[in-house]
């Protein structure tokens, strides 16, 4: 069991005593090797759930066990260490460093793990997403799909247990989006756990399990029998 | 995160906005440059003044005739008639710390050569003057013992006087000038000395034999001053006390508050002037330091802008595992690097500036290694001081908020 939440509650309180309940008593478990899509309209709490899963935020109440660790009450620096070692992030806006080569972007997480910086790992990660020819290109010289693939390589480079993808195809055209989903499906086949947040049903249907949130509550949790399979020739080695 | 990578990252951060980084650095460049230049100018001025005074004879005591009070009216300094040649001879003979004495009588007089005329100080001196005052004839010859013994009408001119009386190509030596209508033959020209502390411009003077001055020109039997060369500089106070004792006995004065002479110590003058120029250096350096602080505020301003601009980058770095201190050091090192680079350029600028001003002002500027270290230390400290707040601000950003920032 990779993720287990019980009675998870998240309340945002702004200065003037107005409380917004973003998550209400969520109970959920995710096993190693799953490919989960979290869906819901905006304001449903899916981003909040993802931030908590990604150790970017702490729940207000309830417990969150990640890979056997009780995350509640850990310090910021401890959370940073967990993110660095065990979680890879892919964002809608790619969030690559501008004027920095693809290779240096991929190396970034390695800089923060206080070990020998193995550039070969970064090259392998870029090879995996089919960018062997683009090591020294800057983000501005790459297409959206290629930039997102650099971001995936950056998420892979630390060999994390979990990959968190927040609307990874939101800024891409359909073809590039399919390529990205194909990469996620391949990574999942290789045993990586993937959690995907999206509001597009078409994208969610690439996952093996779809969780639907509404007003901070889990309203459905289904395993897909006939999921969509994206295969784009020439992307994976 | 290791230091090398942090440095690389900071360099990249600086190089992304080259013009802005350069302009920000300019504040530090000017600040450090100003400190280095001002301190070196101040130090140069101090050593220039010091060497000029030492050029006058660093172990020189000047005994001035006092200011007598006639019927309750205080007269001008040096107008007392108490100092005599005999006093001077007695000093040389009986005070062991006195190496040499130069009795002098000076007054202003009108000097004429053909159609040129000037009013200058005429000093009656002995041959010892050259050594005691460390002031030598550059051309021709100086007054000899024979000139004094026979009260010869010969004159040695200071450079300023020579320039006023004689035109550029003219040879002054051998010419006859008139001092108070008495003809004198010019036998020499003194070296250039410039004005010294306290006394008047030594180049604007004419030297004649003391006996001639006393008997033929001014008709005075007393001296205006006696210059005393003390055997060594550390005996100045002792010599001063011994001279005071001897002169009090000779002048039959028992109450030391009623002495009719005054002893001026060149070393004291030197100390006073050094203090003045030291204060000047401090003042100049202080003003320059203010510009360094202003430069530092510029750094802080730009670092705050940079932190805001790079909010998303900070969010990403935190998401992939940067801890607070990683982000803190990244921004702190960026500002320290900016300041140190500005410091290096500033030392260069300050060096050039002080050389240029030194050339213009005509004195040597002294760039001390310590002022360069100080400039480096201060620019680094400015970088830390003004960089720490923006860096802390960056390190405290919440990754979620930072990633969402537009």
């Amino acid at each position: 069991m990779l993720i287990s939440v019980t009675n998870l509650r998240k309340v945002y309180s702004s200065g003037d005593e107005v409380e917004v309940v973003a998550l209400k008593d969520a109970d959920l478990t995710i096993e190693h090797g799953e490919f989960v899509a979290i869906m819901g309209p905006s304001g449903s709490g899916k981003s909040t759930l993802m931030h908590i899963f990604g150790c970017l935020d702490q729940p207000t109440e309830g417990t969150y066990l990640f890979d056997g660790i009780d995350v509640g009450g850990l310090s910021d620096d401890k959370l940073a260490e967990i993110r660095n070692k065990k979680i890879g992030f892919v964002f809608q806006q790619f969030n690559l460093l501008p004027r920095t080569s693809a290779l240096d972007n991929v190396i970034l997480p390695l800089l923060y793990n206080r070990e020998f910086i193995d550039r070969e790992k970064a090259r392998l990660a870029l090879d995996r997403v089919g960018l062997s020819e683009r090591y020294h290109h800057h983000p501005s010289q790459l297409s959206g799909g290629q930039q997102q693939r650099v971001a995936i390589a950056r998420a892979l480079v630390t060999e994390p247990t979990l990959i968190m993808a927040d609307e990874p195809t939101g800024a891409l055209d359909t073809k590039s989006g399919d390529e990205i989903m194909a990469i996620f499906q391949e990574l999942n086949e290789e045993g990586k756990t993937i959690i995907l947040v999206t509001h597009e049903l078409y994208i969610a249907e690439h996952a093996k399990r779809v969780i639907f949130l509404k007003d901070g509550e889990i309203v459905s949790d289904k395993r897909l029998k006939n999921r969509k399979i994206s295969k784009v020739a020439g992307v994976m080695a | 995160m290791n230091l090398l990578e942090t440095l690389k990252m900071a360099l990249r951060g600086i190089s992304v906005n080259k013009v802005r980084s350069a302009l920000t650095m300019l504040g530090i460049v000017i600040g450090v440059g100003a400190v280095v230049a001002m301190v070196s100018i101040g130090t140069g001025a101090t050593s220039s003044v010091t060497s000029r005074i030492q050029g006058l004879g660093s172990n020189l005591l000047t005994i001035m005739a006092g200011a007598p009070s006639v019927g309750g009216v205080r007269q001008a300094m040096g107008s007392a008639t108490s100092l005599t040649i005999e006093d001077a001879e007695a000093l040389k003979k009986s005070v062991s710390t006195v190496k040499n004495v130069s009795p002098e009588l000076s007054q202003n007089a009108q000097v004429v050569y053909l159609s040129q005329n000037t009013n200058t100080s005429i000093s009656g001196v002995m041959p010892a003057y050259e050594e005691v005052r460390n002031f030598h004839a550059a051309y021709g010859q100086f007054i000899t013992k024979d000139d004094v013994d026979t009260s010869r009408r010969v004159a040695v001119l200071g450079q300023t006087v020579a320039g006023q009386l004689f035109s550029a190509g003219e040879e002054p030596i051998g010419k006859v000038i008139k001092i108070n209508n008495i003809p004198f033959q010019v036998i020499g020209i003194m070296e250039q000395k410039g004005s010294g502390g306290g006394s008047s411009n030594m180049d604007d003077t004419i030297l004649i034999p003391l006996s001639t001055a006393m008997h033929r020109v001014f008709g005075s039997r007393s001296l205006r001053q006696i210059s005393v060369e003390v055997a060594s500089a550390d005996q100045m106070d002792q010599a001063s006390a011994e001279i005071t004792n001897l002169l009090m006995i000779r002048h039959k004065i028992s109450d030391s508050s009623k002495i009719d002479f005054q002893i001026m110590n060149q070393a004291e003058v030197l100390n006073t002037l050094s203090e003045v120029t030291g204060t000047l250096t401090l003042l100049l350096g202080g003003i320059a330091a203010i510009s360094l602080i202003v430069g530092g505020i510029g750094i802080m301003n730009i670092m705050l802008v940079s932190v805001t601009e790079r909010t998303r980058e900070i969010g990403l770095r935190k998401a992939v595992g940067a801890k607070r201190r990683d982000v803190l050091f990244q921004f702190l090192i960026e500002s320290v690097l900016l300041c140190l680079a500005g410091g290096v350029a500033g030392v260069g600028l300050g060096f050039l500036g002080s050389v240029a001003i030194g050339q213009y002002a005509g004195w040597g500027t002294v760039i001390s290694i310590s002022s360069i270290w100080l400039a480096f230390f201060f620019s680094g400290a400015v970088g830390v001081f003004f960089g720490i707040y923006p860096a802390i601000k960056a390190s405290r950003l919440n990754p979620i908020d930072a990633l969402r920032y537009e």
Side-chain angles (χ1 to χ4, degrees):
Chain A
M1 189 166 57
L2 178 65
I3 284 173
S4 160
V5 294
T6 42
N7 299 323
L8 196 71
R9 242 178 116 77
K10 181 68 187 179
V11 180
Y12 294 107
S13 50
S14 45
D16 39 351
E17 306 283 314
V18 183
E19 293 199 334
V20 179
V21 182
L23 280 177
K24 293 174 193 161
D25 307 311
D27 287 286
L28 192 67
T29 54
I30 296 171
E31 301 294 331
H32 279 281
E34 281 203 74
F35 188 168
V36 183
I38 298 172
M39 286 199 71
S42 52
S44 62
K46 61 182 194 296
S47 294
T48 307
L49 192 60
M50 178 186 145
H51 290 147
I52 291 172
F53 282 169
C55 296
L56 287 163
D57 206 351
Q58 295 272 30
T60 315
E61 280 171 41
T63 52
Y64 170 36
L65 289 176
F66 174 76
D67 210 8
I69 306 160
D70 188 354
V71 172
L74 290 182
S75 70
D76 283 359
D77 282 355
K78 199 72 199 160
L79 289 178
E81 210 175 301
I82 293 174
R83 290 197 295 270
N84 183 255
K85 297 228 163 89
K86 301 195 168 182
I87 305 172
F89 288 93
V90 178
F91 303 97
Q92 182 176 3
Q93 295 301 332
F94 325 137
N95 282 326
L96 299 177
L97 298 183
R99 282 161 280 211
T100 305
S101 72
L103 198 60
D104 282 336
N105 263 295
V106 174
I107 285 167
L108 192 66
L110 296 178
L111 299 184
Y112 293 111
N113 73 9
R114 276 158 246 287
E115 280 161 27
F116 170 69
I117 295 159
D118 187 356
R119 284 171 189 269
E120 196 51 37
K121 274 190 185 172
R123 282 192 203 97
L124 285 174
L126 278 169
D127 294 347
R128 284 221 49 173
V129 297
L131 289 176
S132 322
E133 314 281 300
R134 300 277 191 278
Y135 289 165
H136 302 293
H137 286 59
H138 288 190
S140 58
Q141 298 164 316
L142 297 170
S143 71
Q146 288 171 330
Q147 288 186 53
Q148 193 60 299
R149 283 193 267 153
V150 174
I152 294 172
R154 181 180 63 198
L156 287 176
V157 75
T158 53
E159 291 160 19
T161 346
L162 172 66
I163 291 176
M164 301 273 336
D166 185 5
E167 305 269 9
T169 58
L172 300 176
D173 59 88
T174 318
K175 185 174 168 284
S176 305
D178 282 345
E179 285 175 10
I180 298 301
M181 292 318 295
I183 293 172
F184 281 132
Q185 286 185 332
E186 290 240 14
L187 290 171
N188 180 238
E189 293 305 314
E190 289 164 19
K192 294 265 184 254
T193 312
I194 295 170
I195 299 177
L196 176 78
V197 172
T198 183
H199 63 271
E200 282 180 79
L201 187 62
Y202 170 77
I203 295 297
E205 283 172 344
H206 287 77
K208 290 175 179 167
R209 178 181 170 191
V210 177
I211 294 169
F212 204 89
L213 283 173
K214 199 177 173 190
D215 297 330
E217 284 176 288
I218 297 169
V219 291
S220 82
D221 186 350
K222 283 185 280 200
R223 295 191 187 267
L224 295 185
K225 292 199 176 80
N226 305 317
R227 65 177 182 138
K228 284 196 167 62
I229 302 293
S230 277
K231 280 230 185 295
V232 178
V235 171
M236 303 299 277
Chain B
M1 178 157 198
N2 67 43
L3 188 67
L4 184 72
E5 292 296 335
T6 314
L7 275 175
K8 269 197 215 161
M9 214 175 263
L11 278 176
R12 190 177 293 150
I14 290 168
S15 65
V16 159
N17 245 313
K18 289 193 184 68
V19 174
R20 193 165 79 185
S21 301
L23 286 174
T24 312
M25 225 186 272
L26 197 59
I28 298 295
V29 172
I30 290 171
V32 170
V35 170
V36 171
M38 290 304 152
V39 169
S40 85
I41 287 164
T43 319
T46 308
S47 68
S48 159
V49 168
T50 309
S51 71
R52 264 191 214 197
I53 290 173
Q54 277 169 346
L56 301 176
S58 61
N59 35 2
L60 185 70
L61 285 179
T62 307
I63 307 163
M64 303 268 293
S69 184
V70 179
V73 180
R74 178 73 67 181
Q75 305 293 304
M77 198 71 192
S79 58
T81 54
S82 51
L83 280 183
T84 61
I85 292 185
E86 289 74 29
D87 285 339
E89 282 162 0
L91 286 177
K92 190 175 179 183
K93 210 175 290 170
S94 26
V95 181
S96 60
T97 48
V98 170
K99 190 178 166 198
N100 212 339
V101 294
S102 164
E104 294 157 31
L105 169 62
S106 54
Q107 269 185 40
N108 275 30
Q110 206 67 23
V111 182
V112 179
Y113 172 68
L114 301 179
S115 62
Q116 304 294 321
N117 81 96
T118 183
N119 189 296
T120 188
S121 154
I122 312 296
S123 294
V125 299
M126 300 284 272
Y129 180 89
E130 239 188 334
E131 190 207 321
V132 174
R133 297 289 286 257
N134 190 21
F135 188 32
H136 305 274
Y139 312 105
Q141 60 179 58
F142 197 71
I143 293 154
T144 60
K145 186 171 179 297
D146 196 41
D147 293 333
V148 177
D149 288 347
T150 57
S151 298
R152 217 168 263 155
R153 292 188 310 253
V154 291
V156 182
L157 308 185
Q159 295 256 345
T160 307
V161 182
Q164 280 166 348
L165 293 178
F166 296 93
S167 53
E170 208 171 346
E171 171 61 60
I173 293 169
K175 297 289 180 346
V176 175
I177 59 172
K178 283 185 177 175
I179 302 170
N180 278 356
N181 275 328
I182 303 161
F184 278 81
Q185 191 180 29
V186 178
I187 56 166
I189 306 285
M190 296 306 282
E191 63 187 339
Q192 185 140 17
K193 192 83 169 180
S195 53
S199 61
S200 54
N201 186 352
M202 287 181 74
D203 292 336
D204 189 10
T205 190
I206 293 177
L207 306 174
I208 59 175
L210 182 62
S211 51
T212 317
M214 288 177 126
H215 308 309
R216 297 197 179 195
V217 185
F218 302 127
S220 164
R221 289 203 41 79
S222 63
L223 299 172
R224 189 184 167 89
Q225 68 177 50
I226 302 171
S227 296
V228 176
E229 187 188 2
V230 179
S232 80
D234 51 8
Q235 290 175 320
M236 298 291 275
D237 291 338
Q238 191 194 342
S240 183
E242 285 173 1
I243 290 165
T244 307
N245 268 338
L246 183 76
L247 289 180
M248 279 172 74
I249 294 164
R250 285 182 59 85
H251 294 181
K252 302 183 175 66
I253 300 165
S254 53
D255 182 355
S256 65
S257 67
K258 287 186 178 150
I259 52 171
D260 54 0
F261 56 90
Q262 196 192 19
I263 299 178
M264 267 172 46
N265 187 337
Q266 202 70 260
E268 277 169 18
V269 176
L270 189 65
N271 280 344
T272 310
L273 276 170
S274 297
E275 264 171 44
V276 170
T277 51
T279 311
L280 185 81
T281 307
L282 212 63
L283 185 75
L284 288 174
I287 291 168
I290 289 172
S291 72
L292 190 58
I293 290 171
V294 173
I297 293 168
I299 293 268
M300 178 140 132
N301 194 6
I302 285 304
M303 291 310 294
L304 283 172
V305 170
S306 175
V307 167
T308 308
E309 274 182 359
R310 287 153 71 187
T311 301
R312 280 177 77 96
E313 177 193 326
I314 295 163
L316 171 78
R317 286 179 186 279
K318 290 201 142 190
V320 302
K323 295 181 181 174
R324 277 189 179 185
R325 64 159 183 270
D326 293 324
V327 176
L328 183 99
F329 276 121
Q330 182 189 345
F331 282 88
L332 196 58
I333 284 177
E334 220 169 276
S335 79
V336 170
L337 273 185
L338 266 180
C339 284
L340 283 181
V344 173
V347 168
L349 185 80
F351 179 77
L352 290 180
S354 63
V355 168
I357 292 170
Q359 289 278 332
Y360 177 74
W363 66 60
T365 46
V366 180
I367 305 248
S368 63
I369 297 295
S370 67
S371 80
I372 289 175
W373 277 120
L374 209 68
F376 270 128
F377 174 77
F378 266 106
S379 57
V382 162
V384 173
F385 186 80
F386 290 102
I388 194 95
Y389 172 65
I392 287 176
K393 213 181 152 194
S395 75
R396 289 206 178 142
L397 282 175
N398 177 342
I400 299 168
D401 296 341
L403 279 168
R404 279 200 191 128
Y405 185 83
E406 291 297 331

